[in-house]
Each structure stands twice: as structure tokens, then as C-alpha cells.
Amino acid sequence: MKHLGFLSLLMVWVVSQSCLVGCKKPVSVNVGVIFTFDSVIGRAAKPAMEAASSDINETPTILNGTRLNLIMADANCNAFLGSIEAYQVIEKEVVAFIGPQSSSLAHMISSIANGLQVPLVSYAATDPSLSAKQFPFFVRTVQSDSNQMNVMASLVDFYGWKEAIAIYVDDDYGRNGVSVLNDEFDKRMAKAFYKFPLPSNFTQSDIETLLKESKLLGPRVYVVHVNPDPQLRIFSAAKKLQMMTGDYVWFATDWLSTTIDSFTAVNRTALRVLQGVVGLRQHIPESNRKKDFMARWRKMQQKGLLKSELNTYGLCAYDTVWTVAHSIDKYIRDGNNFTFSLSGKLNDTKTSEMHLEKLKVFDGGAILLEHIMNTSFSGLTGQVRFSSDRNIVTSGYDVINIDKMAVRTVGYWSDIFGFSISPPETLRGTEKGHSESDQKLGSVIWPSGKTKRPRGWVIADDDRPLRVGVPRRASFVDFVTELNGTHKIAGYCIDVFTEALKFIPYNVPYKFELFGDGRSNPNYNRLVKMVADDVFDAVVGDIAIVKNRTKIVDFSQPYITTGLVIVAPVHNTKSSAWVFLKPFTLDMWCMTAGGFFIVAVVIWILEHRVNDAFRGPPRRQLMTMFMFSFSTLFKTNQEVTVSTLGRLVMVVWLFLLMVITSSYTANLTSILTVQQLSSPITGIDSLIASSWPIGYQVGSFAYGYLSDTLNIHKSRLVKLHSPEEYETALRLGPDNGGVAAIVDELPYVELFLSKRTDFGIIGQPFTKSGWGFAFQRDSALAVDMSTAILKLSENGKLQEIHARWFCKMGCPGERRGKSEPNQLHLVSFWGLYLLCGAITLAALLIFILRMVCQYARYSRRQRKLCPPSSSVQTSTRCSQVIFNFFDFIDEKEEAIKKMFTQCEINPVPETPTSSTT
């Protein structure tokens, strides 16, 4: 039993010793680091990684008993040299690779890392094309440019700009980053995005040439995406070319903040060229660890150990070393060994000069990669953890603004809250109450030194004026033409354009370029197509807004309404100064005037005995009589009829006047607004129904409309080239080889009529359209020009220009042709006059009979009181009776009644008459 126990103990000791030998912790572990030492990022990253390595080796809780060795190699800003250095580092059996900072080099080393299964952890390669699917062993501890370009596009869109120019370095980092930016702009429905690449090793001359080319474009919003540049050469060149003014907007990716953060106090004066620039900086939350490390950094500077300030990439490099250390520590704690094996594929490769057989595959690379992906700790940059795509979980970006050589943080961006003026970590817990409307930034000082948002684009400048195409017409040159020998363009369309430019809130340099040979009218569809093809920036002229043209260009608000109209010979009927007499014929005027006279006399007769207004001196009665009669026309008479017969006559007379005045007003209005045609054509329907020839302008769309839409036979259509041919054809008429009418667009017809009074427009336009100025698609000037045209219309300037060109002999719109109503004849009103006359005559007869009866009664009583003398002759007695009758009528009705009443109360006895000798 003793022997059996001893053997058991011996076996246990042997097994334990063999396990200790196989699982023995390594004394040191090698981690390769490759980057460019002498660079903005490298000068901060190198001491940061060395500090991290020192801290790790001095911390007993991590890699206890194992020393972390960083084997650093200088890439010298060269992908080829960097790849050679990477091979040399890998030969030293490194378990992980840190770096590189160059995206181009990262692509090459990632392929090596995949083959050798060595995790590659980069703190500076931001190229978004470095994907986990292509490079499964590539891990990024810095935010990808896919996030940064999303923020940049959101920033440009936040301020409402839809056009931008990207300046970038032409390598993997620049091309792939700007490609993502382009995609982000497309998502936000950007109108234009222009890309200007710079050579990898660009010079000051390269920059100036590129900036000059970019000035020829309209956008003034620039996004600069290059490598960190302590000399700030792009902005220095922009300032030299006067591109850091109020018209420009400059954005920069985080390369600028990295450069600025690396400046010492002495170098801060270089910031003056960055006035108004807006940039991004990777957001790093404030923490005690960060503050302590920065204090430590300053102490190292004071000792002369450092020449650079600390930037975000230096902090990321520090956390990257700790990330690798945590994963190695977990790898060791899990009992894994660091073993390497030769690759059969590399051994079979017949390239002895490269010594590829020395390269070994890390057997535990996949396990270590998994530990890296599961790493989570609080570092200098905040919480370090990774997403499934092997990128660090983003913490957002700071939005910075440079003003007066000072860097201001005007806001923050996070993928949850968007833009805010508070750091993202302070907004946690408010996700549910956050909306897009809550996004805001602080006030930005732009290159102009003001907070007012720049326009962000120009239509043209003095170096590249707006290329404005104008048609060189052969006819109707009043619309647009070149003045002989002056090279000056003039015309109605030009006047409208130049006046509208005065209402554009910015300067628009331009130059006119004629299109056409001047011998025949140019093809307008080709002219508009040249705008779409970027031959012209705009077209000014008599450009009709039609469907097929609106598909390729943008039009301004129509500055003149047009449409197809008919023009034919007309006879002007309102040239006479006595046009107000036209509504009635002569007999109608005579009858109306006689009616006023008769009514005046009759009313005076009927009202004289009972109405004080119609009594008095003869002159007064005469004036009252006629004033009363004519005042009934205007209903202003103040005298009131008292007698029943007078009122009856007035009712009938006023009814007659109502009908007469209404008819007169209607007929005079018609005469003043319409014409008397000397042609039987009344509109497009009668023109279609006839068989007469119809004229049209060569090159006008009227030909196609008449033949294709209205189905008028082409043999009836006569082409005419000029206004002179218009006039000749219309004067000849359809029977003498001319035309019955001409169909053309309204402005052409108005210009034709502005110098001729024998022709007029028949009816109204039977198509609706307009003329406008054509611009390239999505041109901001098209919108501003439309606003300017509306202002011209509101202040009357547009009508003034129209009248100056088209109303030299009276506006042709006033000569629109329609059939003039015939004059009003007496026969149309004889029934009404007859009725009025009959009632007036009846009232007068009744009055006369009544007066005769009263006078007879009055005469009998007078004869009883005063018997007539026998010596009075009969003739004298008859004349006396007539005079007495008129005297009786002249007496007031009340006096006669009073006289009759007194005679009945005090009758006078009859006395015998005595004879005389």
C-alpha cells in the first residue's frame, strides 16, 4: 500500500509539473507598432504609446509577470517603406500590430495580418473602406470616416446648403472618405457636389491651381479633407486668392482640429488664416483620467521630453495600447500559449530573396482577436468597446469654429441626439423626448466676421461671368437684337432681364453670347438644349415655356403672357371726338330731345296752378320748366309734382328714361372697347370652318399646332418671314394671293400692331403660355429671377417696359377685334315713345277740358256780377274771352276755389241794365 501511495503522488507531481511547463506565463510579449514618427499624429502618438506601455508594465493588476514590449517601426509617410518595415517587425513574432496611421498602408498591412492571423489595431486609419468583411483581423479604435462624413453632410444640410465643393488628397483616405460624403449628400437631396483631388504630395502651386478652377463653379461651400498640415497651406492659398471672404464657407474634417491641437503657443498665430472656418473634432468626454494624463503631458513638456501638444489621436493611441494589453491579459489568463507555426503556402513560394519562409502564423490570433472585440474599459477617450463591424463605438464629434485665432466649440453631434449645444453624455436619459426640431448649434462666426449665414453660392463672378445665350433673330428684332457696329444687345427681353437683375440681392456679372447667323431665326429647342449641356448658363429672349423644354431646364416666372392669337384687318371706330353720339341715330337723338321739351311743357302746364315751384316771374318759370325736365335724366330734380296728372306723366317718362339711358350706356361701352371688323372672321372656329389661307411665322410652333392639333390642312398654311410680309399678305387678302388672317404668338402680334393701326386681334388667345428666362436645372438664380419679375410686375415697371416697346401708336390690346353693335334706332323704341306720348297727351287733354269747364262756370258768375256793356263789339269780346281764359289758368287753384266759395255765400241780386245813348 505504501508503494501504491508513493506511485500515486509521483504521478500527480509529474502531471502538475508538465502542466506548469506547458502553461507557463511568458516573460514578455511583443506587439508591433508602425507609424510615421515625424508627423502631426506620430509626434503625439509615440510618447502616448510609450506612456501607456510604461503604465501597463508598472500596473500589477494587468499582465502580472509579463512585460509588454512595443516594437516600433517608422513608416516615413510611405506605403512601400512602411510595408517593408511591417515585414521586419512581424519577423519578431509579434502577437498584435498597432497602427498604422496611413489608410493606404493599413490596406497593405491588413492583408499581411489576415494571412498571418495577427490582429491589427489602428488608432488613426479612418478609411471607411477598411471593412471587417475584407479584413477580418482589422480593428479600429478611432471613429471611421463613414461617421465623420455623415456628420459633415448633416452639418452642411443643417445650414441649408445644397451645393458643395470637396477638396481632398488623392489617396485611399481622401478618395474613399469623399465618396462616402458624396453618398451622404445624395441622401439629403443635394443639388450638386463637386470633387477636386490634390496629389498626395501636393505643392502650393497645386493648391492655387485647384482653387482657381473651383472658383469657376457656383458653390462657395468648401469641405476640406486632407492629411494634417501644420502649414495650413490650403487656407493660406485661399486667403491669398481672396477666398476667405464673406461669400465663402469653409468646413474641415478632423484633420484640422488635430493640426490645431498640436500647435504650441508659439504657433497659434497661424490660426489667423482660419478665420470663420468650421471643423470637427472627435468628442472625448471630460474625465479625471484625461485631466491627470494631460497634466502629466505638460510636465513632460516642461522637462523637454515632448515637442508636440496632445491631440485626440494621441489619446486614442494610448487607449489602443491598453486595449491590446487587456486582450493579451485575458488571453494569458485563459491558459493560452503564444505559439507560431510556419505556413505551408509561404514555404512553397519560390522567393528566397524576400525570405518569406521566416514569416510565421500566429496560432492564437483568432482567440486574441475575439478578446480584443470583447474588451470594455474606461480609457482616456471614454468607454472603450467595439461594435460588430470591428469599429469602436462612436462617442460623437465636437463642432468647432475658429474666430480671432481662438477655437470655440459651438456644439456637439451624436448619432442619438444629432446636433446639440450640450455634450452627448449630459443628455443621456432624454432620448425619448428628443426630436429633429431640437437640433441646434451655437452662433458661428463666418469668414465675414459676422454670425449671419452666408449665401454659400454665387451665380458668377468677374473671373467667370454668367454665360447668357441670346437668339440672333432675323425678324421681330425688337425683342432682342445686336445694335449695328456696337456689339451691344438690346430689345424688350433684354430690358426686362436687366431691370430684373436690379432686384437680385447679389451681384451677377454676365456676358451675352449671340446664337444664330442673323439671316434666319434660330432653332429655339437647340438653344435651350445648350443650357442643359452647360454651353450657356442661361438663355434670355423670347423663349416660350413649353413642356419638352421644362424637362431639361428651369424657367423663371413668365415675364409676359403669350398664346396663339388671330390678327386680321380692322376698322377703327373710336378715332372720332364725337364718339359719344354713336350709340343713337339722328332720329333717335331728335326724338329724345323732343321728348324732354314736350315733357317740360306738359309738366309746367299741369303743375303751374297747384305747385308754387312752378310759379313766379316768367324767367324763373322758364328755367324751372326745362331744368326740371332735364334733371329727371340724372334724378337730381328737387321740385316735386303735386297734381295727379303730373305724377302720372312723370312715372311714364321716368320709365322711358330708364330704358333709354341703360341702352345708351351699354352701347357706348361696347363702342369704346371693341372694333368694327372689315373681315367676317370672328374667332378660331370661323377661321377653321373657312377655306381661306392662314399665315404663320417661320419657326413658330403655330404651324405644328394648326396642322396637328386643329387639323387644318397644310395647303392652307402660308409661311411668312417678317412683319412686312405680314402686312403685305393681310392687305392683299385671301382673294388676291394674300391671307385672311395670321396666327402667331401674342407678343409678336403686339409688336406687329404697335406700328400699324389697320389691323387688330380677333377674340382672345386660344392657347395659354408664357415667355421666361431659361436656366440650368436647380439654378438658384431661376428662383431669385422669378421673385424679381414679380417685383417688376408689382411696381409697374414691367408694364412700363411693355408700353415703351409695344404701345408706340397705342397699345394693340386696345384694338382687339369684335363685332361692334349697331347704333340704336328709333324703331327699337317707338312703342315706348308711343305709350309715353299717348299718356302725356291724354293727361294734357284732361287738364284742358277741366280748365274749360271751370272757366265756363267762372264766366257765368262774372257775367251775373258785372253785366257786359252793349257797346262792346263781338270781336273785342272774343279776344277778351281768350285773354280772360289764360288769366284764369294762370291763377292758383286755391284762389279760384275761394272765389267760387264766396259767390255761393254772398249772392248778388240782378240789377236792370240801363240803356245809354
Side-chain angles (χ1 to χ4, degrees), residues 656-673:
L656 173 66
L657 283 183
M658 181 187 69
V659 175
I660 295 299
T661 54
S662 298
S663 301
Y664 176 87
T665 303
N667 204 12
L668 181 61
T669 302
S670 177
I671 291 174
L672 289 175
T673 56

Side-chain angles (χ1 to χ4, degrees), residues 556-767:
S556 68
Q557 173 81 13
Y559 59 87
I560 186 171
T561 302
T562 183
L564 293 178
V565 295
I566 301 172
V567 60
V570 297
H571 174 66
N572 195 343
T573 61
K574 63 173 186 174
S575 58
S576 173
W578 303 96
V579 67
F580 67 91
L581 297 176
K582 293 291 185 181
F584 291 162
T585 58
L586 181 60
D587 54 352
M588 185 67 180
W589 281 116
C590 293
M591 178 57 72
T592 303
F596 279 101
F597 180 82
I598 293 173
V599 168
V601 174
V602 171
I603 291 298
W604 179 83
I605 293 173
L606 299 177
E607 292 292 314
H608 179 72
R609 299 183 73 245
V610 296
N611 194 338
D612 291 335
F614 289 83
R615 299 185 65 83
R619 183 176 180 181
R620 176 186 172 187
Q621 294 187 50
L622 188 63
M623 291 181 61
T624 301
M625 177 175 64
F626 287 102
M627 287 297 295
F628 177 84
S629 176
F630 284 100
S631 65
T632 57
L633 180 63
F634 308 103
K635 302 179 182 179
T636 59
N637 52 308
Q638 299 181 357
E639 296 80 11
V640 180
T641 54
V642 177
S643 66
T644 304
L645 294 175
R647 291 178 177 177
L648 176 63
V649 172
M650 283 301 300
V651 168
V652 178
W653 174 245
L654 289 176
F655 175 76
L656 173 66
L657 283 183
M658 181 187 69
V659 175
I660 295 299
T661 54
S662 298
S663 301
Y664 176 87
T665 303
N667 204 12
L668 181 61
T669 302
S670 177
I671 291 174
L672 289 175
T673 56
V674 300
Q675 308 295 316
Q676 178 66 42
L677 281 178
S678 60
S679 171
I681 299 172
T682 59
I684 187 62
D685 293 332
S686 63
L687 187 61
I688 295 174
S690 69
S691 59
W692 292 318
I694 304 170
Y696 70 93
Q697 182 186 174
V698 174
S700 172
F701 72 92
Y703 177 79
Y705 185 84
L706 293 173
S707 60
D708 300 336
T709 305
L710 300 183
N711 297 319
I712 297 177
H713 199 276
K714 295 182 179 180
S715 61
R716 293 179 53 192
L717 304 179
V718 179
K719 60 181 180 181
L720 303 171
H721 296 83
S722 65
E724 292 73 21
E725 292 188 11
Y726 278 28
E727 181 177 6
T728 301
L730 288 173
R731 292 193 184 280
L732 288 176
D735 298 330
N736 298 313
V739 296
I742 293 174
V743 174
D744 203 352
E745 291 184 80
L746 180 60
Y748 298 122
V749 172
E750 288 186 331
L751 182 59
F752 169 72
L753 297 178
S754 66
K755 302 175 183 178
R756 300 164 179 86
T757 60
D758 297 337
F759 309 98
I761 298 173
I762 309 300
Q764 299 294 327
F766 52 90
T767 65

Side-chain angles (χ1 to χ4, degrees), residues 481-619:
T481 187
E482 181 184 20
L483 300 181
N484 293 330
T486 63
H487 301 291
K488 182 179 180 182
I489 311 299
Y492 166 72
C493 302
I494 302 300
D495 283 359
V496 174
F497 178 73
T498 54
E499 285 294 330
L501 284 180
K502 297 178 181 179
F503 290 91
I504 302 296
Y506 46 87
N507 183 38
V508 183
Y510 64 91
K511 64 176 180 179
F512 290 126
E513 298 181 13
L514 290 169
F515 174 74
D517 56 12
R519 293 189 294 270
S520 61
N521 293 335
N523 187 311
Y524 279 51
N525 288 332
R526 285 181 54 197
L527 179 58
V528 173
K529 183 67 165 54
M530 294 176 73
V531 176
D533 294 340
D534 198 29
V535 178
F536 295 130
D537 298 310
V539 168
V540 171
D542 47 335
I543 312 298
I545 304 174
V546 294
K547 181 179 179 181
N548 64 321
R549 295 172 183 170
T550 57
K551 294 179 179 179
I552 59 175
V553 298
D554 285 347
F555 280 95
S556 68
Q557 173 81 13
Y559 59 87
I560 186 171
T561 302
T562 183
L564 293 178
V565 295
I566 301 172
V567 60
V570 297
H571 174 66
N572 195 343
T573 61
K574 63 173 186 174
S575 58
S576 173
W578 303 96
V579 67
F580 67 91
L581 297 176
K582 293 291 185 181
F584 291 162
T585 58
L586 181 60
D587 54 352
M588 185 67 180
W589 281 116
C590 293
M591 178 57 72
T592 303
F596 279 101
F597 180 82
I598 293 173
V599 168
V601 174
V602 171
I603 291 298
W604 179 83
I605 293 173
L606 299 177
E607 292 292 314
H608 179 72
R609 299 183 73 245
V610 296
N611 194 338
D612 291 335
F614 289 83
R615 299 185 65 83
R619 183 176 180 181

